[in-house]
Amino acid sequence: MTTPPTRWELAGEGNRGYGEHFAALVAQGADVDGEARLADALVPRGARILDVGSGMGRIAASLRRRGHEVVATEPDLELRAQSGRTYPDLEVLPHEALALDPGEVGRFDLVVVVGNVMIYLGEGTERTVLARLRELLAPGGRILAGFHLTAVKNGSRSYPAEEFVADCAAAGLRVEHRFGSYELHQPNDEYAVWVLSAAD
C-alpha cells in the first residue's frame, strides 16, 4: 500500500532541532514527563504500551521507568539517532503507524500518540491511521492522543476537534474524555488531549 508522505517528512529541515531541544531539557533535569504521567495513570502497573511517533524517546523511557512494557516506534532516522544517544537502552522500531501489524507487535493496553503526531500524518490518512491504532488495542485498551488544534507547528495541519471526533467515529473509536492539557484542564480551542476506546 502506497501512502502519501507525512507532513513531518514534507517539512524537512524545518523540523530539525526538535530532538536536540528535548535532549537538552533532559540533560538539564527539566520535567519532560507530563504526557507519561497521564499515560501511567490510565493503565495498571506492568501494562503493554505502544508509543507511536516516539520522537527522541522521552515518553517511552519514562513509561519504562514506571514499570511498563513499552514498544516505541519512530520513522524519522535523526530522531531515532537522538533517542539512542539520550536513552541508549530504549529500542525504537522504525515503523510508521500504518506499518504496525498486530500480528507482529501484538496488542496493547494503551497506545500513546502524542506530541502532535496526528497533525503531521500524511494528507488524508487520519482515518486509516486511527483504524490501525484501534486494531492494535487489546480488549479494554485505550488510546491517548494529544495535539494542537490549529497549525501552529512548522508544516503541521489544523485539525478541528469536531473533525477529529468524526474521524474517530469512522475508524470505530469513541471519545471517552477530552481535556485541554495533560494536567486535565478544561477543553480549549488551542490544544486537545483525548482518551479513546473501541466503539464496540
Side-chain angles (χ1 to χ4, degrees):
M1 178 178 63
T2 302
T3 58
T6 65
R7 291 178 174 85
W8 182 268
E9 291 174 300
L10 293 175
E13 293 302 314
N15 281 327
R16 296 302 168 217
Y18 165 84
E20 291 87 345
H21 168 71
F22 276 103
L25 291 176
V26 170
Q28 295 163 15
D31 177 15
V32 294
D33 289 355
E35 302 98 325
R37 281 192 294 271
L38 179 54
D40 180 55
L42 293 174
V43 290
R45 196 61 45 215
R48 288 202 84 223
I49 300 177
L50 173 66
D51 186 1
V52 177
S54 59
M56 54 74 68
R58 62 189 176 87
I59 299 166
S62 179
L63 289 169
R64 283 187 62 195
R65 289 196 303 271
R66 287 167 164 80
H68 301 294
E69 178 188 345
V70 183
V71 174
T73 176
E74 173 54 61
D76 186 290
L77 179 62
E78 291 193 21
L79 287 176
R80 288 201 310 277
Q82 181 65 60
S83 180
R85 291 190 293 271
T86 307
Y87 305 108
D89 295 332
L90 178 68
E91 180 183 1
V92 182
L93 302 177
H95 301 55
E96 293 188 12
L98 291 176
L100 293 167
D101 181 350
E104 177 186 346
V105 297
R107 288 181 166 79
F108 298 86
D109 303 302
L110 183 68
V111 173
V112 176
V113 56
V114 297
N116 289 307
V117 170
M118 291 301 303
I119 58 175
Y120 278 110
L121 297 176
E123 184 175 356
T125 65
E126 291 84 359
R127 291 187 177 189
T128 308
V129 168
L130 286 166
R132 176 56 54 85
L133 300 184
R134 179 186 177 279
E135 293 172 1
L136 290 162
L137 294 177
R142 294 188 285 182
I143 296 168
L144 175 64
F147 54 87
H148 283 276
L149 297 171
T150 56
V152 297
K153 297 292 184 180
N154 181 65
S156 70
R157 62 160 291 190
S158 292
Y159 203 170
E162 59 274 16
E163 183 180 347
F164 180 71
V165 171
D167 287 348
C168 287
L173 294 165
R174 65 186 178 92
V175 175
E176 289 190 358
H177 304 286
R178 175 188 169 188
F179 303 107
S181 73
Y182 293 100
E183 292 75 40
L184 310 187
H185 289 100
Q186 289 291 322
N188 58 65
D189 294 330
E190 296 179 2
Y191 197 88
V193 174
W194 310 85
V195 179
L196 314 171
S197 60
D200 56 3

